[in-house]
Amino acid sequence: MRYGQALRNEIASEGTTPLIGVYDMYSASVAAAHYNGFFVSGFGFAASYYGLPDIGFIAWPDMVAFVERLRGAFPRHHLLVDIDDGYVDPEVACHVVRRLERIGATGVILEDQKRPRRCGHADGKMVLPLDEYLEKLDLVLASRSDLLVVARTDATEEADILRRAAALAETEADVVLVDGVRSVDWIRRIRKVVGDKPLLFNQIAGGKSPRLSLTELTELGVDVAIYSTPCLFAAHRAMETAMAELKFADGRLPAAGADGGDIGVKEATDLLARNIGRQHPQRQTVLA
C-alpha cells in the first residue's frame, strides 16, 4: 500500500483532514474508533515513554519501534510521525526516514529548530539558518519514495515566519507547517505566502494557537490539522480523578461494565481485541 499517497489524496479532497495525537498503543486503540488518522506526537511520546518533557530526549530507535507497533495494529490508518529536527544530524534524519517508510509510516514532520529544542508551543525556541535547514530537508526528500514530508518552521519573528514559510513552499515538501501560530490573522498571512502548497495547523490544549473547529480551519484554507495531545491530557485528567476517588472510597473500586459506568476488564479486552481483528478481518466475529 502507498501510505503517503493515500494521505495526499485525502488532503487534496475537500475539508481539513484531522490527525489525532496518540502516545501509546492503548490511546491509539481508543482513537482508532473515531478517526482514521494518527499523529505520532513527540510531546506525547516523550511524556509516556520517558516521563520527560518534549525538549529533545527522544532517541530515534525508540520512535521507530513505536511506529512499527502502531502499523502492525492499525494497517489502514494514516501515521504521520514527528521526527523533531531529524535527530540533529542530516544523515541520521535520512536513515530514520528510510526506516520509517519501510515499516509503513505515512509521513514525517521535520522541523528547523536547533538544539536545545523545545515543544513548538513553548518559549525559547531557536531555529537553524534557513539554508542549513533547507539542505537537511532536501536530503530527507531525496531519501523518501512515497513518504509524505511536512516541512515545519518554528520561527517566531514575524518577518522570518513569512520568509521561511515562503521558502518551504518552494521545496518538494508535500505540506508546510508553521508551528505556534498565534492568531487567525496569521493563519491568513501564512496561507497567502505558501500559495497552493497544502498547509498544516497544529492545535494543542493550552498552546499558543487559537482553538478552531475543522469548519473554521477549512474556511481559512488549512488542509490538515494535527491534534497533538487530546488523548494524553484526557488520560491525565481521568487518572487524577480516578486516584482521588479511589482514595476517598478507602480503596474500594467503582462498579464497572454492566453494573456501572466505568471501564472494566471486558471493555478493555474488547477494545484491544479489535486490533487483532484489523489484521485478520475474518476473525472479528469470533473475537467479538
Side-chain angles (χ1 to χ4, degrees), residues 70-224:
L70 282 169
R71 180 51 78 208
F74 306 99
R76 287 171 291 278
H77 278 68
H78 303 307
L79 298 178
L80 179 63
V81 183
D82 182 2
I83 61 168
D84 294 340
D85 56 356
Y87 309 100
V88 186
D89 186 87
E91 291 302 330
V92 173
C94 294
H95 176 71
V96 171
V97 161
R98 289 190 291 266
R99 287 281 300 270
L100 286 170
E101 184 158 20
R102 283 199 298 271
I103 64 177
T106 300
V108 297
I109 299 178
L110 179 72
E111 69 191 30
D112 62 357
Q113 284 196 53
K114 64 180 180 180
R115 300 284 169 134
R117 70 168 307 281
R118 296 285 183 267
C119 165
H121 289 252
D123 295 326
K125 297 187 297 181
M126 299 181 293
V127 293
L128 295 167
L130 180 57
D131 288 347
E132 186 176 335
Y133 172 71
L134 291 176
E135 182 179 353
K136 183 190 292 186
L137 177 62
D138 284 343
L139 288 170
V140 163
L141 291 167
S143 300
R144 58 91 180 259
S145 175
D146 174 62
L147 195 78
L148 180 141
V149 175
V150 178
R152 163 180 158 178
T153 181
D154 282 83
T156 56
E157 298 297 325
E158 293 187 359
D160 200 28
I161 290 172
L162 297 178
R163 180 175 73 99
R164 287 178 182 252
L168 301 189
E170 292 296 321
T171 71
E172 294 299 314
D174 299 281
V175 181
V176 170
L177 162 62
V178 177
D179 212 3
V181 178
R182 294 172 182 262
S183 70
V184 167
D185 179 60
W186 266 97
I187 296 174
R188 293 193 180 101
R189 292 193 199 185
I190 294 162
R191 174 72 273 173
K192 185 175 180 179
V193 301
V194 301
D196 295 331
K197 185 75 74 173
L199 182 63
L200 186 151
F201 181 69
N202 178 21
Q203 295 200 91
I204 181 169
K208 296 183 181 298
S209 298
R211 295 183 301 116
L212 299 170
S213 69
L214 289 172
T215 300
E216 290 169 321
L217 290 173
T218 298
E219 291 170 352
L220 290 166
V222 172
D223 303 279
V224 191

Side-chain angles (χ1 to χ4, degrees), residues 3-26:
Y3 289 109
Q5 190 57 46
L7 183 53
R8 286 186 194 94
N9 293 342
E10 188 162 337
I11 290 171
S13 64
E14 272 192 49
T16 302
T17 299
L19 300 174
I20 303 302
V22 297
Y23 63 90
D24 66 0
M25 296 300 294
Y26 201 94

Side-chain angles (χ1 to χ4, degrees), residues 274-287:
R274 292 176 204 154
N275 296 339
I276 302 173
R278 290 187 183 91
Q279 288 290 343
H280 306 286
Q282 68 276 13
R283 296 186 62 199
Q284 285 185 352
T285 302
V286 176
L287 291 167

